[in-house]
Amino acid sequence: MRIFVAGLIAGSLVAGSAVPVAALTDKEKFGLAAAAILGIAALSHHDNHYQEGYRPQSENETAMFEAGYRDGLHNVQFDTGYGTRAYSEGYAAGHKERENRLAHKRNNTRSVKVPAAAIAGCRDEVSSSFGVSTRDVHIINAGQEGSDNYYIELAAGHRHAVCGTNSRGQVFNLRDGRL
């Protein structure tokens, strides 16, 4: 699907130019294809993966960030051949996302029986607050206070939030931070 969309974007870039495709050099064709792929990567990547104070400044840095992100996410060994800040930042972000996705296996959240409605209510609230899809919001920790009050720590990228809810999924408190 991504390749198909990249082809559409690259085709529209070429079609929108006054230069026929045959007149482009191989280097220019490669540049257009790379720009299309990077554009898709930038659109699919949300800001929560960038740590404060860092943002890729060029297409090359974005590509290096994405390469590092994929390596960190899939637990691939850090590639010292890249040696750029963008790759290092991406690797750290990918590694953090991997930790978030696997946190429910390491933390003792299963001993707290949080109702599905409570989880859904908090996940929806954090998703809209952070401006991300619900599939990018991960439960990190949970606790219970009283008979019907639950506190759930959720994360998306480097951002964390603590959500207070009841068993029906009514959110009564949402704040940035950790439990």
Side-chain angles (χ1 to χ4, degrees):
M1 178 68 182
R2 287 184 181 173
I3 294 171
F4 175 72
V5 174
L8 285 177
I9 292 173
S12 67
L13 287 172
V14 172
S17 68
V19 179
V21 176
L24 294 175
T25 65
D26 286 342
K27 189 174 182 181
E28 291 169 331
K29 289 177 188 175
F30 178 76
L32 284 173
I37 291 168
L38 287 174
I40 291 168
L43 290 174
S44 67
H45 202 70
H46 55 79
D47 290 340
N48 293 322
H49 289 142
Y50 300 129
Q51 290 199 41
E52 290 182 25
Y54 177 78
R55 170 134 2 269
Q57 300 299 315
S58 67
E59 291 85 10
N60 188 38
E61 281 189 17
T62 303
M64 297 303 325
F65 182 91
E66 292 296 328
Y69 181 83
R70 279 190 315 275
D71 287 352
L73 182 64
H74 299 294
N75 208 25
V76 174
Q77 185 174 355
F78 186 89
D79 190 343
T80 57
Y82 286 119
T84 64
R85 179 176 181 201
Y87 179 83
S88 297
E89 292 282 343
Y91 190 87
H95 188 69
K96 179 67 175 167
E97 181 67 14
R98 180 179 175 79
E99 285 180 7
N100 290 344
R101 290 181 182 183
L102 299 174
H104 69 280
K105 292 181 179 181
R106 287 186 309 276
N107 294 340
N108 191 15
T109 58
R110 294 190 187 269
S111 66
V112 177
K113 304 260 191 255
V114 181
I119 292 171
C122 284
R123 183 173 279 144
D124 291 345
E125 192 71 28
V126 170
S127 170
S128 65
S129 295
F130 287 1
V132 298
S133 170
T134 55
R135 72 175 183 271
D136 294 326
V137 178
H138 307 287
I139 297 171
I140 303 299
N141 205 349
Q144 185 173 2
E145 183 178 88
S147 63
D148 196 35
N149 289 345
Y150 299 91
Y151 289 92
I152 303 170
E153 180 182 345
L154 302 109
H158 289 287
R159 291 189 66 189
H160 288 254
V162 176
C163 175
T165 184
N166 61 21
S167 62
R168 295 176 304 284
Q170 297 169 323
V171 176
F172 56 82
N173 185 12
L174 182 67
R175 64 176 171 82
D176 281 343
R178 297 176 176 240
L179 273 178

